[in-house]
Amino acid sequence: MNIHTAPASFPTDTLPKASVRRFAWDLDLSQEELVQLLDLTATLKRSPAAYARALEGRYLSLLFEKPSLRTRLTFELAIKQLGGDAVFSSGPIAEREPLKDVARNLERWTHAIVARVFSQQTIEELARWASVPVINALSDLYHPCQALADVFTLKERFGELRGLKLAFVGDGNNVAHSLMLTAPRLGINLAVATPPGYAPNAEIAATAAGLAAACGTELTITTDPAAALAGADAVYTDVWTSMGFEREAAQRRRVFQPYQVNAQLMEMAPNAVFLHCLPAKRGEEVTDEVIESPRSLVFEQAENRLHTQKALLLMMLA
Ligand code: CP
Ligand code: NVA
């Protein structure tokens, strides 16, 4: 039997479908699909049992070149809770054979590829060669699955996303980039404050500015944390040294010190919640006091990785 034509045992015709069979970066989901994904996530979170067999007989390949707790486990749990299963492989993806061969092996065994990679090029190449959906589980440039959980967490907390202000303070990295491509399309005003020299990628920033203008939201990129935090409803930070940049860690610890999210900084946004994708380095980008405070939603974000990824898998595979 061809695994790709096995009938779904669950009536899936009412589920929204992703129009592009890849989630290589944030913009592979349209604005409308993003809204649909958030709605579907809320349904899944409320009634998980209703979808327990929706992806029966479907398998995911998880290829991870870098460590992971949340992303790996939530994808494994997501597919299992939908009736499917996953296989996992760690280490460099294209060391023993070209990516185009890896892609054409995996598509014969599994219905989607979830990859965490050093280079975005690896995701693009997998997506180019695989006939099954390829999902970016973090690259040097993007972390689109994280952004889905982050905006869902904000929606749960605030009800309405349009008009919220999110302040991202720290490194202009993959997590910041995905927020820049996602938040404006949901009506969220976003301010990103980084040290000089650590601003987001200029091309991604230009794309995000275009999206913000088209969606009537504000996107600010600054080196001043106070400007970013003024009027913020949520303050987000991430590690100063992302995976792959370890040899810059000492230098980054010096440069990023004024951008630490501590109690004093949080006073600049007295009503804001605190967000972090985790893992966190307490004492570096955030203090223990802030991450453990009642304003911190970090474990809600972590939980919501599961629910948003279930919605993503349903939209891609059902
Ligand atoms: N936030 C996140 O992606 O966590 P992991 O690196 O543990 O997957
Ligand atoms: N920016 C971090 C995110 C980890 C989930 C990194 O790339 O290491």
Side-chain angles (χ1 to χ4, degrees):
M1 185 179 67
N2 181 340
I3 57 166
H4 299 296
T5 55
S9 61
F10 184 84
T12 50
D13 32 335
T14 54
L15 286 170
K17 302 255 185 292
S19 52
V20 179
R21 285 167 59 79
R22 46 173 256 165
F23 192 44
W25 71 323
D26 307 78
L27 298 192
D28 283 332
L29 283 184
S30 71
Q31 190 174 14
E32 187 189 356
E33 288 162 351
L34 258 181
V35 172
Q36 289 172 335
L37 183 138
L38 296 181
D39 289 345
L40 180 57
T41 301
T43 309
L44 283 163
K45 192 168 178 177
R46 245 189 342 263
S47 321
Y51 295 87
R53 297 182 62 186
L55 294 183
E56 197 165 38
R58 311 294 169 92
Y59 300 96
L60 294 183
S61 291
L62 303 182
L63 305 186
F64 278 53
E65 293 187 324
K66 300 175 181 176
S68 169
L69 175 71
R70 279 148 292 275
T71 309
R72 176 185 174 176
L73 296 189
T74 53
F75 266 111
E76 287 196 19
L77 287 163
I79 188 76
K80 286 175 198 232
Q81 290 180 13
L82 295 168
D85 212 338
V87 288
F88 177 78
S89 171
S90 66
I93 297 174
E95 200 171 59
R96 295 175 62 230
E97 55 193 307
L99 280 166
K100 62 182 180 182
D101 286 5
V102 174
R104 290 175 297 170
N105 277 258
L106 299 176
E107 71 183 17
R108 297 298 178 110
W109 309 320
T110 62
H111 303 82
I113 300 168
V114 177
R116 169 166 286 196
V117 298
F118 281 96
S119 165
Q120 178 67 16
Q121 275 312 314
T122 305
I123 295 283
E124 299 293 342
E125 189 75 356
L126 285 171
R128 181 172 157 223
W129 286 97
S131 60
V132 296
V134 172
I135 296 173
N136 182 346
L138 180 146
S139 70
D140 53 341
L141 291 183
Y142 309 110
H143 197 359
C145 297
Q146 181 66 50
L148 297 179
D150 300 337
V151 291
F152 182 77
T153 304
L154 289 173
K155 189 156 197 282
E156 266 189 323
R157 169 54 62 118
F158 294 100
E160 173 64 42
L161 292 176
R162 180 153 291 280
L164 286 183
K165 180 177 180 187
L166 171 62
F168 182 96
V169 181
D171 188 20
N173 63 13
N174 45 9
V175 170
H177 291 158
S178 281
L179 289 170
M180 287 162 58
L181 297 174
T182 300
R185 294 187 295 146
L186 294 164
I188 301 170
N189 301 309
L190 177 62
V192 179
T194 73
Y198 294 88
N201 172 293
E203 208 178 308
I204 297 170
T207 303
L211 292 170
C215 298
T217 64
E218 277 176 40
L219 175 69
T220 312
I221 296 182
T222 174
T223 54
D224 178 6
L229 261 76
D233 300 290
V235 177
Y236 199 127
T237 192
D238 182 18
V239 287
W240 291 340
T241 303
S242 284
M243 293 180 278
F245 293 83
E246 288 78 5
R247 46 175 212 294
E248 299 176 14
Q251 154 94 352
R252 284 169 172 265
R253 269 194 294 275
R254 281 191 297 276
V255 174
F256 280 82
Q257 199 56 50
Y259 296 79
Q260 182 187 66
V261 178
N262 50 35
Q264 200 187 343
L265 197 90
M266 287 298 281
E267 274 173 27
M268 297 181 198
N271 298 315
V273 296
F274 172 73
L275 302 175
H276 193 307
C277 57
L278 302 179
K281 276 224 155 128
R282 288 165 164 80
E284 291 197 11
E285 76 276 4
V286 61
T287 56
D288 188 65
E289 185 184 5
V290 168
I291 200 167
E292 297 293 346
S293 75
R295 298 165 71 177
S296 170
L297 299 184
V298 299
F299 300 114
E300 275 73 13
Q301 288 171 271
E303 177 182 341
N304 289 331
R305 292 295 304 274
L306 173 68
H307 306 298
T308 45
Q309 285 161 201
K310 285 170 80 171
L312 180 68
L313 291 176
L314 282 175
M315 287 176 67
M316 296 253 154
L317 298 180

